Amino acid sequence: MAIPHFLVVGAGIVGAACVRELARAGNRVTVIDSGPGAGLQGGTAAGMGHVVVNEGDTDTLRLCLRGRELWRSDAPPMSERDSYWETGTLWIAEDEETLLQLEGAQKKLESVGVVAERIDGRQLIKLEPALAPDLAGGLRVPHDGVIYAPTAAREFLNASPKVTCHYGVSVKNIGDGIVELTDGRNFEGEAVIVATGISVLSILGEAGARLAEKVSLYPREGHLAITARGTRILDHHIVEAGYQKAAHSTSQAGSKAGSVACAILPRQTDQLCLGSSRRPGEPGPVDPNMMMRVIDRCERFVPSVKTLPILRTWTGARAATSDGKPLLGPVPGLQRTWIAAGFEGLGITQAPAAAELIRQRIMGESCTLDPWPWDPARPYKDSSALTKQENDHA
Amino acid sequence: MRDSICIHVDGATLRVESHQTVTSALMRSGISAVRKSPSGESRGALCAMGSCHECRATVNGVRGVRTCLVNVEEGMTIEREQPVLRTSMGVSAVHETKSFETDVAVIGSGPAGLAAACAAAELGKTVTIIDESPGPGGRIWSHRGSPPVEARPWIERARIAGGQRLQGYSVIDGKPRELKVASVKDGTRHRVLCSSIVIATGARERFLPFPGWTLPGVVGAGALQSLIKGGLPVSGLRLVVAGTGPLLLAVAKLAVSEGATVVVVEQASFADRSALAIPLLLSPSRWRPARELWNSLRGVEMYTSSWVTSARGQQHVQEVSIRTPQGIKTLEVDGLAVGYGLIPESRVAAGLGCEIDEDGFVRVDEHQQTRVPGVLCAGESTGIAGSESALDEGLVAGIVSAGRNPRSRLLARVRRHRFWGQAIEKAHPLRDEVLQLAGAEDVVCRCEDVRAGEITGCVSRREARLIHRWGMGHCQGRVCEGSSMCAALEGSDSVRPPWTVAPPEARIETSR
Ligand SMILES: Cc1cc2nc3c(=O)[nH]c(=O)nc-3n(C[C@H](O)[C@H](O)[C@H](O)COP(=O)(O)OP(=O)(O)OC[C@H]3O[C@@H](n4cnc5c(N)ncnc54)[C@H](O)[C@@H]3O)c2cc1C
Ligand SMILES: Cc1cc2nc3c(=O)[nH]c(=O)nc-3n(C[C@H](O)[C@H](O)[C@H](O)COP(=O)(O)OP(=O)(O)OC[C@H]3O[C@@H](n4cnc5c(N)ncnc54)[C@H](O)[C@@H]3O)c2cc1C
Ligand code: FES
């Protein structure tokens, strides 16, 4: 019997993780990306790489947790500089009110089995002497960490047998397992997994347009900066509590000015990555005012940030969905076509879990997580679309 | 007047002469390595003009100061880079940020910048000159004490014309009517508000990697010139000056006049360079300097069609191998200066949105105007054609920025200079051998210690950058992007703030 052949469009962290899942299940996989290689364009090339479990609803928490588990146990081989580094996250509350919210967050984390430890103001300074002395307290999530996503994407592919890569070619349209390139070529496979980030719905023809009416996908820009070597004055990833609220709330469309919250990530290269902002829109050139706001906000939590030389700044876009959840599953109205996109600011964390779920569903295996919350058919009352394609492949 | 002053280097007190850069004071005291690379190699100054960032140290408590751009001062403390302490105590801004208002902001005080500033000021405009170096003059007129004769009238004219001088400041960010500058010494930020901008940021040296090029004591050819002009004594030293272009001869002349024994190693062939004869004949103003140059180099050992293949030494370069038509020669040396011509410094122009051509030059029209309204560019960043050309282009830019029309005679002169520049370029084509000297184990990106072997097989700059950290260091690719490995990669890097990595704005207050 011929070996099944799958197509993966988009070799960001999500697409690359899907390739590995399908390839090691014994399939042949062809990857297509418009960039010069895996993980070199889009969100994956821009993201901070914080692997983090702390998010509003329990579904998302579960997806993050599974992602983190897989990063810890099943990451592709990488150099020490790029591989999973368990820094832990320290969520910081500026005042008592925010500290109360962190208590709630802790309960929620514990309900899905995540260890989290409350830290008072004085312990905070002992743990991280570079923090401002007037902070109310925090929540420490020990197993969170950092991964360098561009290398991870590349190594997902390198670690996979039977993979063919086509770089520098753009996909124009996808329908029923057939991929049409802008250069006129066509590819056909057992199934197509579309993981092109923000552009995903626009290349799915009418089915994409119909889906977009129910769940829209839009870019949310972020600004980041990196300091020079010799500046790693923190051990934990420092995030201001309330970050997620600002980062992922769905009713932010009106805020053209954008919002800013402190997130500081230590890197194995003895540097700090400083973030971040969010503003609706495609990533443009670095806006010095926005960058300044980000650095000022980081300074509020880690005062000596202003004493560190900034090496480089950049922007990136997160692909956000109108209901705040990724689109993960078969495209309603199409045959043999699957979508994996819309991970907002959590795509690096969730990529391995998302890829596992896609493989399990395509191969007709039982799923580690309940797939329904992320299924693209979720806005349709009738859930028959959910099971139909799976039966095709089982 | 050169007084003797005290500086403190890693806690030890050194007595040094005043009026010299920290780099040259350190080298003079036998310290050629000032920092450790990410993999722990000793490194020292390479370019001596602010682009490589290899000479950076903590000066008076300020991190990341390029010591080649700062003069020694009494009581100055210099420490090699240490990790930052983990403390939240007393952070303070060093100085207040000011705004300067001016009609014309001129970036660079080399011949082009000075001429532009003079022309604009004499036509009634207020002018602000911004330059990273400690004094005016740019590359060719950099000096210690009194400026060279050719430079004096310009520096004097600029002084009389008045205007603000932000010497020792890098332009790190901005837009057409507003520039952000940072002090190279303490990171202080200021704003310059202006109606027009003349970019005169000149050129930097092209460095090509070869085995041993990261050893302290291996510097650029122009770098050796700057160091000698900045006060480094070379009397009695054995120096090899290698690479390509007319700069080598100028550097050799200077080193010989200061008492060094010099061997010149030029990669271009005699046949290539004889192509210069005709343009030289057509350009009488260059006859005398050319004759003087040749006379001063009589007796200097000189190799053409030859190049340095490797340098060796413990902590400092001691031995150099050169490939000559007669075979490999090994020389014992006290120093090696290598530069493979000049490449334009167009980061500021790119940051301001000007169009840059495929060779990195800023595109300008006959009036030195870029595509961005109110932004002009003059001098080496528009084409490598020497200081006379830079002066004339600067005049044009200055006149145009003052709202006037330059005379057609001046414009015709600028065109002739361009022709000369192209002739020089053609006479020194880089040969394939010098582009392929680095072996797999040799560092090609000095800031991040990326080795040639790591990026062979890379297709794009993005891949080299994101995956292998090539070009991700302090100089942001200024050194490594000149190499042939970079030219072979697809795509380009975009410029974003900070256009030059500057010391931080604030410091941790010491409670002493
Ligand atoms: C500033 C910022 C900070 C972030 N920080 C974090 C963090 O700390 N932790 C975390 O978990 N997440 C973070 N994220 C989010 C994370 O980066 C993204 O969710 C994730 O990278 C998305 O990966 P992806 O594979 O879905 O998409 P992408 O990485 O965008 O990949 C899509 C790929 O598809 C290709 N492509 C697009 N269109 C086409 C086409 N028509 N034809 C062919 N190929 C195409 C692109 O070239 C690209 O390679 C951050 C994002 C930003 C912007
Ligand atoms: C290392 C070197 C040595 C040279 N030696 C000779 C020689 O011996 N003989 C000869 O005929 N020609 C020599 N040249 C060529 C000579 O420099 C040019 O012909 C001429 O000086 C060009 O003038 P310019 O005004 O365009 O630029 P430059 O003289 O290079 O001046 C540019 C100025 O801009 C400043 N600058 C750059 N970027 C910034 C920034 N972001 N912010 C603030 N300031 C900035 C620099 O500090 C510099 O002072 C040399 C060139 C170099 C690079
Ligand atoms: S040499 Fe400085 S970044 Fe490569």
Side-chain angles (χ1 to χ4, degrees):
Chain A
M1 211 177 87
I3 303 172
H5 178 209
F6 290 93
L7 303 173
V8 174
V9 181
I13 194 71
V14 174
C18 290
V19 172
R20 182 183 72 164
E21 288 296 314
L22 292 166
R24 67 179 174 186
N27 303 296
R28 236 165 16 100
V29 186
T30 295
V31 193
I32 300 158
D33 195 294
S34 53
L40 300 176
Q41 265 181 198
T44 303
M48 263 194 161
H50 185 200
V51 175
V52 55
V53 186
N54 182 338
E55 170 62 55
D57 68 80
T58 40
D59 293 329
T60 311
L61 271 186
R62 286 204 178 92
L63 196 58
C64 285
L65 179 59
R66 182 64 187 153
R68 189 180 81 179
E69 268 169 28
L70 291 171
W71 278 123
R72 294 176 72 203
S73 63
D74 194 26
M78 282 185 265
S79 74
E80 203 184 316
R81 185 181 75 194
D82 297 334
S83 50
Y84 191 69
W85 180 32
E86 214 156 282
T87 56
T89 307
L90 205 48
W91 294 88
I92 313 278
E94 215 181 341
D95 48 38
E96 295 302 324
E97 197 192 320
T98 327
L99 196 57
L100 276 179
Q101 290 170 13
L102 277 182
E103 270 176 45
Q106 182 190 24
K107 291 211 183 80
K108 207 183 267 168
L109 283 171
E110 278 168 353
S111 76
V112 292
V114 176
V115 186
E117 168 196 358
R118 253 184 291 157
I119 312 274
D120 68 27
R122 241 172 310 141
Q123 287 171 300
L124 211 53
I125 293 287
K126 284 216 189 88
L127 213 53
E128 289 288 4
L131 285 172
D134 62 338
L135 299 166
L139 186 67
R140 180 165 170 268
V141 186
H143 301 307
D144 284 358
V146 39
I147 190 87
Y148 184 62
T151 304
R154 177 193 178 92
E155 296 308 326
F156 271 137
L157 299 191
N158 286 344
S160 309
K162 301 194 211 92
V163 173
T164 314
C165 304
H166 297 274
Y167 296 127
V169 286
S170 264
V171 168
K172 192 168 76 185
N173 193 43
I174 297 167
D176 295 333
I178 300 169
V179 172
E180 248 180 87
L181 302 189
T182 48
D183 67 13
R185 278 185 294 171
N186 279 355
F187 286 93
E188 184 166 1
E190 196 87 4
V192 192
I193 295 88
V194 196
T196 58
I198 292 153
S199 71
V200 81
L201 294 180
S202 66
I203 55 174
L204 285 170
E206 251 176 61
R210 247 178 290 123
L211 184 52
E213 283 167 20
K214 301 276 186 184
V215 185
S216 62
L217 203 62
Y218 56 94
R220 199 175 262 178
E221 183 205 66
H223 275 65
L224 297 179
I226 187 98
T227 62
R229 285 177 184 261
T231 58
R232 193 168 62 74
I233 52 174
L234 298 164
D235 288 327
H236 292 83
H237 186 134
I238 301 293
V239 195
E240 111 173 60
Y243 178 94
Q244 301 295 69
K245 194 177 72 199
H248 302 287
S249 68
T250 48
S251 55
Q252 288 266 310
S255 63
K256 279 274 181 289
S259 64
V260 157
C262 159
I264 308 180
L265 179 85
R267 299 257 308 122
Q268 279 104 319
T269 48
D270 205 10
Q271 297 172 288
L272 294 180
C273 187
L274 311 175
S276 174
S277 61
R278 39 209 96 61
R279 180 161 68 178
E282 294 286 350
V286 170
D287 167 358
N289 292 329
M290 183 56 99
M291 201 66 252
M292 217 52 241
R293 281 175 63 195
V294 169
I295 293 170
D296 285 347
R297 193 62 192 157
C298 290
E299 189 195 7
R300 161 69 189 97
F301 292 86
V302 180
S304 43
V305 153
K306 279 255 169 88
T307 72
L308 310 176
I310 303 286
L311 215 56
R312 195 175 167 93
T313 54
W314 67 94
T315 63
R318 314 165 178 94
T321 57
S322 47
D323 67 359
K325 287 180 183 167
L327 294 165
L328 199 52
V331 181
L334 285 180
Q335 303 293 308
R336 304 184 291 155
T337 306
W338 298 67
I339 190 171
F343 296 86
E344 240 278 44
L346 292 168
I348 297 168
T349 306
Q350 296 174 339
E356 180 186 58
L357 203 74
I358 289 279
R359 185 209 74 215
Q360 287 167 338
R361 292 189 68 182
I362 288 184
M363 309 298 285
E365 301 163 16
S366 68
C367 294
T368 313
L369 298 173
D370 167 21
W372 178 243
W374 305 290
D375 194 282
R378 63 185 175 254
Y380 304 93
K381 286 279 173 289
D382 168 21
S383 66
S384 60
L386 173 63
T387 43
K388 191 174 167 299
Q389 277 202 33
E390 258 154 316
N391 296 335
D392 292 348
H393 289 288
Chain B
M1 278 305 98
R2 278 170 203 168
D3 315 322
S4 151
I5 57 172
C6 281
I7 60 172
H8 310 287
V9 182
D10 285 341
T13 301
L14 286 184
R15 191 156 273 287
V16 299
E17 274 185 20
S18 64
H19 297 95
Q20 59 176 330
T21 62
V22 174
T23 303
S24 89
L26 292 176
M27 286 183 96
R28 227 174 146 157
S29 311
I31 305 172
S32 53
V34 285
R35 53 175 292 270
K36 290 269 189 269
S37 74
S39 66
E41 293 178 10
S42 296
R43 293 285 167 77
L46 174 70
C47 76
M49 56 172 272
S51 48
C52 75
H53 292 243
E54 284 279 44
C55 65
R56 67 185 188 273
T58 299
V59 175
N60 287 340
V62 180
R63 299 178 65 78
V65 173
R66 288 168 281 169
T67 58
C68 69
L69 293 181
V70 173
N71 281 339
V72 286
E73 285 163 16
E74 178 64 42
M76 192 176 244
T77 60
I78 295 142
E79 296 149 291
R80 304 187 205 197
E81 294 272 275
Q82 303 280 335
V84 186
L85 292 178
R86 300 177 177 217
T87 168
S88 70
M89 297 308 290
V91 172
S92 69
V94 188
H95 295 292
E96 210 186 317
T97 296
K98 287 187 232 153
S99 285
F100 297 93
E101 276 184 47
T102 188
D103 293 331
V104 184
V106 177
I107 309 170
S109 65
L114 284 174
C118 291
E122 287 161 7
L123 290 169
K125 296 289 169 189
T126 57
V127 175
T128 297
I129 302 181
I130 309 154
D131 195 302
E132 294 185 324
S133 316
R139 304 301 158 218
I140 185 169
W141 294 339
S142 75
H143 57 277
R144 183 180 183 210
S146 61
V149 211
E150 318 84 79
R152 267 177 234 160
W154 295 100
I155 294 178
E156 186 57 16
R157 264 173 80 180
R159 193 188 60 76
I160 293 168
Q164 188 74 36
R165 188 59 71 72
L166 287 169
Q167 204 81 47
Y169 284 86
S170 309
V171 175
I172 58 164
D173 190 6
K175 50 192 178 197
R177 290 166 161 273
E178 179 179 337
L179 297 172
K180 194 164 169 192
V181 302
S183 157
V184 296
K185 226 154 73 176
D186 60 25
T188 308
R189 269 42 170 187
H190 295 310
R191 286 191 317 156
V192 177
L193 307 172
C194 53
S195 335
S196 55
I197 295 174
V198 177
I199 302 165
T201 46
R204 58 179 194 271
E205 280 189 270
R206 177 191 280 118
F207 297 107
L208 299 177
F210 59 88
W213 76 303
T214 54
L215 272 174
V218 178
V219 299
L224 178 61
Q225 187 184 41
S226 307
L227 288 167
I228 296 175
K229 287 182 184 172
L232 184 70
V234 292
S235 174
L237 300 186
R238 297 156 304 172
L239 304 174
V240 167
V241 176
T244 205
L247 180 60
L248 301 189
L249 303 181
V251 178
K253 175 183 168 187
L254 178 66
V256 167
S257 73
E258 296 285 320
T261 308
V262 175
V263 176
V264 174
V265 181
E266 162 67 63
Q267 60 92 41
S269 67
F270 186 75
D272 283 332
R273 291 200 302 158
S274 53
L276 266 187
I278 291 166
L280 187 62
L281 275 175
L282 293 176
S283 176
S285 71
R286 298 181 207 274
W287 293 351
R288 207 166 63 98
R291 203 168 48 237
E292 277 173 13
L293 184 61
W294 277 110
N295 287 341
S296 66
L297 290 174
R298 242 182 230 148
V300 168
E301 207 175 325
M302 207 172 297
Y303 297 91
T304 51
S305 302
S306 304
W307 57 92
V308 170
T309 55
S310 65
R312 289 167 298 280
Q314 301 276 318
Q315 298 301 311
H316 189 96
V317 59
Q318 289 162 323
E319 199 180 76
V320 172
S321 290
I322 56 176
R323 170 83 230 266
T324 73
Q326 289 76 43
I328 298 276
K329 259 190 191 326
T330 298
L331 306 172
E332 270 186 43
V333 299
D334 299 301
L336 167 62
V338 204
Y340 285 95
L342 303 178
I343 46 180
E345 178 53 62
S346 45
R347 289 277 205 292
V348 168
L352 286 169
C354 304
E355 195 186 350
I356 312 289
D357 73 15
E358 60 274 18
D359 296 319
F361 293 106
V362 183
R363 282 232 165 97
V364 288
D365 65 12
E366 223 197 14
H367 285 174
Q368 305 300 134
Q369 285 167 308
T370 68
R371 282 266 201 83
V372 181
V375 179
L376 298 91
C377 185
E380 305 272 71
S381 17
T382 68
I384 310 291
S387 57
E388 286 179 49
S389 170
L391 279 171
D392 285 339
E393 287 190 13
L395 287 175
V396 172
I399 292 166
V400 173
S401 68
R404 303 291 182 82
N405 267 325
R407 297 240 170 90
S408 55
R409 271 228 312 273
L410 178 59
L411 296 176
R413 231 161 52 209
V414 170
R415 283 195 295 273
R416 275 202 302 281
H417 293 311
R418 296 230 168 102
F419 170 68
W420 172 251
Q422 282 156 4
I424 294 251
E425 177 87 24
K426 267 197 222 123
H428 298 88
L430 288 178
R431 56 176 72 233
D432 285 346
E433 293 97 322
V434 301
L435 299 173
Q436 291 153 10
L437 290 168
E441 287 305 308
D442 293 312
V443 165
V444 286
C445 171
R446 299 168 66 108
C447 295
E448 288 293 325
D449 278 349
V450 182
R451 286 160 212 279
E454 293 178 65
I455 61 165
T456 40
C458 270
V459 179
S460 67
R461 280 185 75 157
R462 262 191 102 74
E463 180 182 354
R465 200 182 164 91
L466 282 170
I467 305 289
H468 304 288
R469 302 190 59 80
W470 174 92
M472 274 202 178
H474 241 261
C475 84
Q476 284 291 298
R478 279 180 175 79
V479 172
C480 51
E481 76 186 6
S483 79
S484 62
M485 298 200 84
C486 174
L489 299 172
E490 284 168 15
S492 59
D493 190 23
S494 65
V495 173
R496 70 282 310 287
W499 297 339
T500 295
V501 177
E505 279 187 87
R507 276 196 256 168
I508 296 182
E509 259 170 13
T510 42
S511 48
R512 274 168 283 140

